[in-house]
Amino acid sequence: MTAAPPGADPPPVDFSEFYQAHFQRVAVQLYAYLGDHAEAQDLTQEAFCRTLERWDRISGYDDPSAFVRRVAWNLATSRLRRVRTAVRHLARQREEHVPGPNPDRVVLLEALTILPAAQRRAIVLHHLAQLTVAEIADQLGVPEGTVKSWLSRARTALARHLTERQEAGRA
């Protein structure tokens, strides 16, 4: 990767011709190294883009393809390091086994879907988030009486739905 001697001007090399002549060779090398064809092509492309940015200087090197190869190999090595680090990080993560929802929870969630959105929101905020009627009214920007009405109607609808479901299960 040394520059040509000051007195000897190398023949000008067209970047497009250089790219066509060397892209496949570099990509094949990286594919053999990485084992991933698409990644090898992407990194080779990146190496050529970086070469193009400095083409006026690099085209004067005795072997411009050596520069491209070095950049491509450095990119591939960096990529493997990042992947290895990510794999090590994932290996250290503990897998959590969370039991599935119990049948009562499934029934309740299904029952909540029958409620209008405002009533469902009020029930969830009151019974699951444990907010007071005043806090819900403040958060939703409605009077407390409206929240009380939503909660009452929602409880009635849920009780009716769950009773019907229970009776249907017995039949």
Side-chain angles (χ1 to χ4, degrees), residues 14-37:
D14 178 56
F15 183 80
S16 297
E17 292 172 11
F18 173 76
Y19 178 87
Q20 288 177 346
H22 297 280
F23 181 87
Q24 192 62 31
R25 255 184 276 187
V26 175
V28 167
Q29 293 170 22
L30 293 188
Y31 173 54
Y33 182 56
L34 297 170
D36 183 333
H37 190 264

Side-chain angles (χ1 to χ4, degrees), residues 33-79:
Y33 182 56
L34 297 170
D36 183 333
H37 190 264
E39 186 71 25
Q41 287 185 325
D42 287 348
L43 294 176
T44 303
Q45 185 69 38
E46 177 64 25
F48 274 96
C49 286
R50 292 181 183 190
T51 301
L52 179 59
E53 291 171 353
R54 301 169 185 87
W55 186 241
D56 55 334
R57 187 178 78 236
I58 294 168
S59 65
Y61 288 0
D62 290 335
D63 184 8
S65 65
F67 178 85
V68 172
R69 276 194 312 278
R70 171 56 45 213
V71 171
W73 278 89
N74 287 347
L75 290 169
T77 301
S78 294
R79 172 73 177 132

